[in-house]
Amino acid sequence: MIAVPAVDVSGGRCVQWVGGLPETERVSLPDPPAVAARWWRKGFGTLHVVDLDAALGRGDNRALVRELIARTGAVTQFGGGVRDREGIEGALAAGADRVIVGTRAVEDFAWLTRAAAAFPGQVVVAADMRDGKVLRRGWTRSSDTTIEDFLAALDDLPVAGVLCTDVAREGRVQGSDLERAGAVIRASRHPVWMSGGISGLDELRRLGRAGAAGAVLGMALYDGTLSVEAVAREFGG
């Protein structure tokens, strides 16, 4: 299993929000490409980059994201407002290795099927959840679909993997729900990256033993709860 630092971009800055809410911003750094370069130098071989403004439909940070991706040699997965073929092509052209799709994947399964076929092994499905239900529209709206049912529907698609974020725990650094994480991992035949509340090395080890392909880390790395050096040494990949 690998640990993947999150570089979330909003308003030209690298930020960390609690529960996906802009008004709860607790980290704001002025140079996202420099942040990405720092994670790369520390020993992390994969980065998770999200354009939060694009995800929320209030502009984008495309030029900055392109610069960010070019700054390191890391494997980069990018998401945020990718809702059509052109968005996937644009992200790949910008240098992303994998492209994360969320809202459109949840709302339009026929489109997801076509996208996965057109870009096999390059599309990651964001299965964001709260209380076991899949979310959409930048975490602002719930659906009636359970996370297990959604993951089962992906079984035959040639996607690169699934990113599952427990939004209720996101940014709170209070620990992840390991029992639910295990159920999510078992529900998918694809590689699963987990995110949301992870705050300890033992949690990372337990996620690895449960079969997670990776863990996306945000607030716990930025606020020092997790030792950057220790995580990179054991899980940097």
Side-chain angles (χ1 to χ4, degrees):
M1 191 191 78
I2 60 172
V4 183
V7 185
D8 297 340
V9 183
S10 176
R13 300 174 70 84
C14 176
V15 302
Q16 283 291 295
W17 298 342
V18 178
L21 301 173
E23 61 269 23
T24 65
E25 182 174 286
R26 285 175 49 191
V27 172
S28 180
L29 302 173
D31 190 345
V35 174
R38 175 178 179 268
W39 294 134
W40 168 248
R41 289 195 306 270
K42 288 290 186 179
F44 292 98
T46 301
L47 297 177
H48 174 81
V49 180
V50 177
D51 187 338
L52 294 173
D53 294 334
L56 294 172
R58 58 181 201 183
D60 64 69
N61 300 270
R62 291 177 186 171
L64 187 59
V65 167
R66 184 182 291 271
E67 179 186 350
L68 187 161
I69 293 173
R71 185 72 71 89
T72 82
V75 173
T76 304
Q77 54 188 36
F78 168 79
V82 180
R83 295 178 182 134
D84 54 32
R85 182 187 180 105
E86 291 73 21
I88 297 174
E89 291 174 340
L92 294 173
D97 297 281
R98 298 188 289 263
V99 183
I100 303 163
V101 296
T103 294
R104 185 83 187 267
V106 175
E107 297 180 342
D108 188 347
F109 190 77
W111 174 81
L112 175 60
T113 300
R114 293 193 299 274
F119 305 96
Q122 293 178 294
V123 172
V124 174
V125 179
D128 304 323
M129 65 177 182
R130 182 186 286 116
D131 299 325
K133 294 296 180 66
V134 176
L135 303 178
R136 55 198 176 92
R137 301 285 168 179
W139 300 350
T140 62
R141 300 183 190 177
S142 184
S143 71
D144 295 325
T145 306
T146 68
I147 187 69
E148 290 83 3
D149 286 346
F150 182 69
L151 293 176
L154 305 178
D155 276 356
D156 294 330
L157 301 187
V159 298
V162 179
L163 170 65
C164 187
T165 300
D166 188 340
V167 174
R169 293 173 181 260
E170 179 71 9
R172 301 184 189 280
V173 198
Q174 296 175 348
S176 55
D177 185 339
L178 292 169
E179 182 176 350
R180 185 178 293 278
V184 167
I185 293 164
R186 291 191 297 273
S188 177
R189 77 169 187 85
H190 297 295
V192 176
W193 290 275
M194 297 299 303
S195 177
I198 299 168
S199 60
L201 281 171
D202 188 56
E203 284 177 73
L204 291 171
R205 295 175 185 127
R206 291 175 66 183
L207 285 170
R209 290 195 295 270
V216 176
L217 304 176
M219 194 75 77
L221 282 181
Y222 284 90
D223 72 3
T225 298
L226 279 167
S227 164
V228 172
E229 290 74 16
V231 175
R233 185 167 54 251
E234 191 168 347
F235 298 103

